[in-house]
Amino acid sequence: MGVTVAEIKKRLSEADAEEFAVLERALVADERKGVRSALAVAKRRLQAEADEEARLASMYSFERSLCGENPHAVVVGLDEVGRGPLAGPLAVGAVVLPADLKIAGLNDSKQVKPADRERIAAEVKRVALAWDVHYIEPSYIDDHGMTASLRLAFSSAVKAIEQTGVHPDVILLDGNPLHLDPREMNVVHGDARCASISAASLIAKVSRDALMVSYEDEYPGYDFASSKGYGSARHRQAIAEKGLTPIHR
């Protein structure tokens, strides 16, 4: 009795690149529609996996290239979340990653599906040599402005990393220079190009989102669980009807 289409589909769905090549050769003469479809699906899956592996490798190698001639440089990546909301704190994440351990799915938090963010952020925290999330409250932002708030948040996050006993040689920031430290390097779109900045973006996003969800019970009706403090229609309507809360800017 020949191998059924269902059996072939199962083997193809579990095959790695080497196993797929063997199966593809063995099935070259099999004209069954289900087999041809399963081969195409498996080929697309393996190509997507190869593309993702290459993307991750590029993030890590690009980051190491910024360290110049020091292959053992300790790198801390930093990124902010919450610069533009109407309510809630500014959050800055800081992460020092091991150079030899890639985290699957790591990317700029805006490019990661919400369902995957918590899982990846938890993995970042598990494997990181050091990490921190630092908040700047709305009252400080109101009194000192966003630039001063960013400078305080970034410098405080670096200090927290150093207090763990990890001393970075390179400080990578996403976006514009803040001129905080002679070790500072600024990378345009760094949250998508550097592994440690991506990791910082994710833990800051997940931490701040969880905080905003917790405010839903304290300040009901402002859509904090959904909007995370940004200007959704429900959030703006609540401000018009109920006024501002202590966590508004």
Side-chain angles (χ1 to χ4, degrees):
M1 182 181 294
V3 181
T4 68
V5 172
E7 290 170 332
I8 291 171
K9 284 183 177 180
K10 184 175 187 301
R11 290 185 64 184
L12 286 168
S13 69
E14 298 171 348
D16 60 19
E18 184 177 349
E19 292 166 336
F20 174 80
V22 172
L23 288 169
E24 187 177 36
R25 288 193 296 271
L27 296 168
V28 68
D30 193 324
E31 295 297 332
R32 286 177 290 181
K33 184 177 179 180
V35 172
R36 307 322 301 172
S37 175
L39 280 165
V41 168
K43 183 174 288 189
R44 288 195 297 270
R45 171 180 64 82
L46 289 167
Q47 184 60 57
E49 291 174 0
D51 291 345
E52 173 64 6
E53 186 174 342
R55 184 191 68 81
L56 278 175
S58 175
M59 289 175 66
Y60 280 81
S61 62
F62 176 71
E63 181 167 304
R64 297 315 300 179
S65 75
L66 299 175
C67 300
E69 297 180 359
N70 182 359
H72 304 295
V74 176
V75 177
V76 60
L78 297 103
D79 199 15
E80 56 80 19
V81 175
R83 186 190 301 229
L86 306 179
L90 173 73
V92 166
V95 176
V96 180
L97 291 174
D100 58 349
L101 181 62
K102 294 180 176 63
I103 299 172
L106 187 63
N107 205 343
D108 168 20
S109 62
K110 296 185 292 296
Q111 302 301 318
V112 178
K113 294 178 181 178
D116 294 331
R117 286 179 190 150
E118 289 191 15
R119 173 183 57 80
I120 300 172
E123 182 67 5
V124 167
K125 293 178 180 179
R126 187 183 73 81
V127 306
L129 303 180
W131 65 271
D132 182 66
V133 176
H134 190 84
Y135 294 108
I136 300 295
E137 296 304 323
S139 58
Y140 187 94
I141 298 172
D142 289 343
D143 291 343
H144 300 277
M146 184 55 70
T147 298
S149 298
L150 285 167
R151 291 176 63 86
L152 176 61
F154 278 90
S155 59
S156 298
V158 171
K159 182 178 180 180
I161 293 292
E162 292 178 327
Q163 287 175 340
T164 69
V166 175
H167 298 283
D169 300 298
V170 179
I171 298 172
L172 295 181
L173 305 183
D174 181 39
N176 297 321
L178 290 176
H179 306 294
L180 296 170
D181 190 289
R183 297 168 292 176
E184 176 184 328
M185 296 183 68
N186 303 91
V187 184
V188 177
H189 302 308
D191 48 7
R193 300 174 69 193
C194 295
S196 62
I197 298 179
S198 294
S201 170
L202 273 165
I203 66 167
K205 173 66 174 171
V206 169
S207 296
R208 187 184 184 280
D209 281 0
L211 178 63
M212 295 308 299
V213 169
S214 75
Y215 282 136
E216 182 76 10
D217 292 334
E218 190 171 353
Y219 305 106
Y222 284 88
D223 195 36
F224 288 148
S226 177
S227 72
K228 308 304 187 291
Y230 288 84
S232 69
R234 287 176 56 198
H235 184 185
R236 291 181 182 276
Q237 182 179 356
I239 293 173
E241 294 175 353
K242 303 168 68 172
L244 299 175
T245 72
I247 67 166
H248 278 95
R249 303 176 184 176

